[in-house]
Amino acid sequence: MSLSLTKTIKFCITLALLGIFIFFLVRYKAQLAIVREISIAQFGAIFLLVILSVTLNGSKLNQLTRFFSLKLSPREWFGLSSITTTLNNIFFKAGSLAASNYLKRKHDFPYMSFLGSLGADQLILFFMSGMVGCGISFYLMTETVKNFQFVALAYLFLVLMLFLATQFAPRLKRQNHKTLDALVRAVDALNRILKDRTLFLKLCAHNIALIVLTSLRFFVACKVLQLEVPLAHCFLFTTVMIFVSALPLFQSDIGTREMAVGLLSELAGTGFNEGLLATTLDRVFVFFLTLLFTLYFKNLLVPSHPAEEKA
């Protein structure tokens, strides 16, 4: 299949899902209007949780670059984290691309080292999410929700596959072909990070904390919409958001993430519209709050003066 055809198919799928998503938003707009009644305490809680999430993501980036002997300033890692979160909310990995371009332009940090770092972090995040999702889905299967066996087994299978991936990451030899050699260097960076026990444990701790913060943020979003969604369900929905956001099947996960959570929410007995609306509100809060930080750190994207390239 040609690259242009693949892009066309992705665009059509993304557009179709976005259209369905907009249809549901219009259908449930009355329920979304409740957000106007948000309290100062609720907004403050969401604002704090967003800042903590951005800080944790920035701290992860700093840990990964330090592994390659590059120490970022707090302004850099917090700003890049804000930019990454904002742009990733619009287009697939657009923020990650912007961060890699900055690191290459400013610090001559190799793209393939960044790609390997991103791969290692995503793999660990998926594993942590799979563990959380597996535990909660088995709990729901045995305690409250009927016919949840498929979800529980899917999470279990995912955890086993991710565990094997972290234990048996491929070791490849350098290649003469430029593209193949770049891939080899990315996989080599991934291997080195996964074999560093100290860094591995730090990334695990960061990602577990991110899952907790995102789940709490989702829970507060439910409260803003006056939805009675159990906290355990919020943890489960968070794991789905993480997996869907990483799928390279779409040009944007807008609508996809919301409908995926809505479907799982329906299966868990919470209701489709509850999951969809809470995920939508969570995205809106995260996007606009991180956008404020992105505008402040905009010179990390495009330097104001040529001299800043060498600053």
Side-chain angles (χ1 to χ4, degrees), residues 206-222:
H206 276 74
N207 285 322
I208 279 291
L210 278 171
I211 292 170
V212 172
L213 289 175
T214 306
S215 302
L216 291 174
R217 198 178 67 224
F218 192 94
F219 184 70
V220 176
C222 291

Side-chain angles (χ1 to χ4, degrees), residues 105-116:
R105 184 185 75 239
K106 180 79 172 181
H107 300 288
D108 198 28
F109 189 70
Y111 287 117
M112 291 304 108
S113 294
F114 182 84
L115 183 60

Side-chain angles (χ1 to χ4, degrees), residues 189-209:
L190 171 64
N191 273 313
R192 289 171 58 197
I193 291 170
L194 291 178
K195 298 305 178 185
D196 187 304
R197 184 173 178 81
T198 301
L199 180 58
F200 179 80
L201 292 176
K202 285 181 179 178
L203 292 176
C204 286
H206 276 74
N207 285 322
I208 279 291

Side-chain angles (χ1 to χ4, degrees), residues 50-69:
V50 170
I51 289 180
L52 289 175
S53 297
V54 171
T55 302
L56 272 175
N57 275 317
S59 177
K60 276 199 302 180
L61 177 61
N62 190 39
Q63 293 292 333
L64 288 165
T65 56
R66 284 168 68 96
F67 180 77
F68 293 97
S69 303

Side-chain angles (χ1 to χ4, degrees), residues 237-251:
F237 300 155
T238 294
T239 65
V240 173
M241 288 193 287
I242 289 170
F243 288 124
V244 172
S245 297
L247 287 176
L249 302 176
F250 318 105
Q251 293 182 333

